[in-house]
Amino acid sequence: METTIAVIGVKENPECIEAKLSMAGEIIKRGGLVAFPTETVYGLGGDALNPESSRKIYAAKGRPSDNPLIIHIANWEDLGRIVSEIPATATKLAEAFWPGPLTMIFKKSDLVPSQTTGGLDTVAVRMPSHPLANLFIKKAGGYVAAPSANLSGKPSPTLAKYVVQDMAGRIDMILDADGSSIGLESTIVDVTTEIPIILRPGYITQKMLSDVVGETEIDVTIYDSDSRQAPKAPGMKYRHYAPKGELVIVEGDPQNVVRYINEQCAMHEAAGTRTGVIGTKEQLAQYHGASSIKNAGSRDTPEAAAKQLYTFLREFDDEKIGYIYTESFADAITVPITRASSDTGIGQAIMNRLLKAAGHKVIYV
Ligand code: AMP
Ligand code: MG
């Protein structure tokens, strides 16, 4: 399949943008697939109400079809057609966080095909804040099913070039625009229960949610490597975001962390394997001996680390790194990071993604 790559520059004039998004919308309405930018990560979109489009999305990603898709909408008024009930908690959360990086799980209406929800009778819905995503969804008929636009098992793409790498030849069109400003997937909250349950941590933290709706819970399987319970968000059970190299999280006293990482890098490099490090600005100058050292920014601004994390993992693949060591971002957590914990801001979402990418390998030093 030939993939049209439509570049949308930051200074592009509104008519050109409109024309490109209209073309993209037509592709969706005809049952085709278009990758598009959002503030979280790039999405791989198809018509959410067309079962054949959902089937194509799974095929393009190589994703198991029991892993349900998130439906992206552009107007609050459009929600009513795809859900059978709008709980009061959802209305409050939408007022606070939509459009934005929050996905809510509702009971679905009959309009939503079971192919889109992986056979579940619930449906995940999000309203992105990225202006291009918003306009694209409107042009596409209002309901765009979209997982992240990566091949299954690869880090989610936060830059268009990674969408092109994974999806060229597999989908109809790629909207090539700016990099994702948040860089991690949306927070997912189940609002079908009396107390909302967080199924996937993200930029919208538990504290932010609780400030709006009172008590919230976290699905215990999120941090537990050997839980026998199935996660409530089916996608969370798959090994995700995996770099080719072996990733290890190193946690403890900063000096011990630096010493351990430097020793490991020296050992592997001496044996002929390239090593990589993800470090914060505060400690960066102390790392030596690794082939590739990534600056995750200051510990005071973990948003910068969140934004760059997936890019780092992809760059390590390109750089043929065999062992990757990262500092932990569990700073504020007083219990072991493998347990659900009190609020740690976006650090919680970063740790959730890192633990998955690392296959839960954590060294305490
Ligand atoms: P992605 O689209 O790649 O960000 O992944 C979507 C995530 O949303 C996966 O982890 C899914 O399992 C989860 N999800 C989608 N629909 C539902 C649903 N109805 N109930 C629970 N989790 C869902
Ligand atoms: Mg994904």
Side-chain angles (χ1 to χ4, degrees):
M1 177 188 293
E2 199 182 324
T3 303
T4 306
I5 298 176
V7 178
I8 301 181
V10 272
K11 296 215 174 100
E12 187 128 3
N13 80 51
E15 288 100 79
C16 285
I17 295 179
E18 179 101 17
K20 286 172 186 168
L21 295 182
S22 294
M23 199 198 296
E26 285 309 312
I27 291 173
I28 298 290
K29 286 182 181 164
R30 286 201 311 267
L33 303 185
V34 177
F36 63 102
T38 85
E39 71 278 18
T40 58
V41 302
Y42 270 75
L44 170 55
D47 180 355
L49 307 183
N50 179 349
E52 181 57 17
S53 297
S54 296
R55 197 197 56 71
K56 283 190 195 167
I57 290 175
Y58 291 117
K61 274 186 71 99
R63 172 171 175 150
S65 59
D66 68 341
N67 189 352
L69 306 174
I70 295 173
I71 301 189
H72 294 69
I73 61 172
N75 303 300
W76 169 252
E77 297 72 40
D78 295 340
L79 180 65
R81 287 183 68 212
I82 52 172
V83 305
S84 65
E85 198 186 326
I86 303 179
T89 47
T91 309
K92 283 190 205 156
L93 289 174
E95 270 169 13
F97 302 116
W98 275 8
L102 177 71
T103 296
M104 291 192 270
I105 309 290
F106 298 86
K107 294 204 175 87
K108 79 175 194 72
S109 77
D110 292 341
L111 197 64
V112 181
S114 64
Q115 284 83 351
T116 300
T117 64
L120 299 176
D121 56 10
T122 52
V123 61
V125 187
R126 179 166 107 78
M127 189 192 293
S129 64
H130 195 297
L132 293 179
N134 183 277
L135 194 52
F136 162 65
I137 294 164
K138 287 180 180 157
K139 299 271 185 199
Y143 301 99
V144 175
S148 47
N150 52 288
L151 288 171
S152 197
K154 290 259 221 147
S156 298
T158 52
L159 298 172
K161 68 174 180 179
Y162 295 128
V163 181
V164 174
Q165 220 172 62
D166 280 14
M167 290 297 152
R170 304 176 77 93
I171 62 177
D172 300 281
M173 188 179 203
I174 296 171
L175 297 172
D176 175 337
D178 54 340
S180 302
S181 58
I182 291 178
L184 293 181
E185 303 84 348
S186 57
T187 305
I188 303 182
V189 181
D190 186 346
V191 290
T192 64
T193 49
E194 200 168 302
I195 299 172
I197 306 174
I198 299 168
L199 307 187
R200 177 172 74 185
Y203 183 83
I204 309 284
T205 64
Q206 183 171 23
K207 176 160 189 313
M208 291 160 79
L209 296 168
S210 293
D211 284 348
V212 175
V213 292
E215 196 183 350
T216 55
E217 288 174 4
I218 298 191
D219 180 9
V220 290
T221 61
I222 287 178
Y223 298 97
D224 200 349
S225 58
D226 52 19
S227 172
R228 277 162 222 275
Q229 247 171 294
K232 293 196 174 70
M236 299 293 278
K237 72 174 179 258
Y238 297 105
R239 181 162 182 250
H240 255 176
Y241 327 119
K244 289 186 192 129
E246 183 172 324
L247 172 63
V248 178
I249 303 167
V250 186
E251 189 172 316
D253 173 76
Q255 288 318 309
N256 293 348
V257 169
V258 168
R259 193 175 323 115
Y260 179 84
I261 291 179
N262 283 341
E263 277 167 16
Q264 293 296 309
C265 290
M267 182 181 84
H268 291 302
E269 295 277 346
T273 306
R274 290 163 64 77
T275 58
V277 176
I278 301 177
T280 50
K281 200 181 95 198
E282 287 79 359
Q283 275 148 245
L284 209 67
Q286 299 177 60
Y287 293 110
H288 49 77
S291 300
S292 175
I293 299 173
K294 309 289 185 196
N295 181 358
S298 168
R299 292 215 152 256
D300 299 335
T301 54
E303 294 76 16
K307 184 171 170 176
Q308 296 181 93
L309 176 63
Y310 290 144
T311 299
F312 290 161
L313 296 182
R314 289 207 177 229
E315 284 173 355
F316 284 137
D317 282 354
D318 295 341
E319 293 160 2
K320 310 228 171 338
I321 302 296
Y323 288 93
I324 304 162
Y325 297 91
T326 177
E327 291 175 23
S328 168
F329 292 85
D331 269 334
I333 303 180
T334 50
V335 296
I337 52 168
T338 41
R339 255 184 263 146
S341 72
S342 57
D343 193 70
T344 62
I346 199 169
Q348 198 169 53
I350 299 173
M351 286 313 289
N352 169 259
R353 307 309 194 273
L354 272 178
L355 282 164
K356 281 171 157 284
H360 287 268
K361 278 186 290 298
V362 186
I363 304 279
Y364 299 94
V365 290

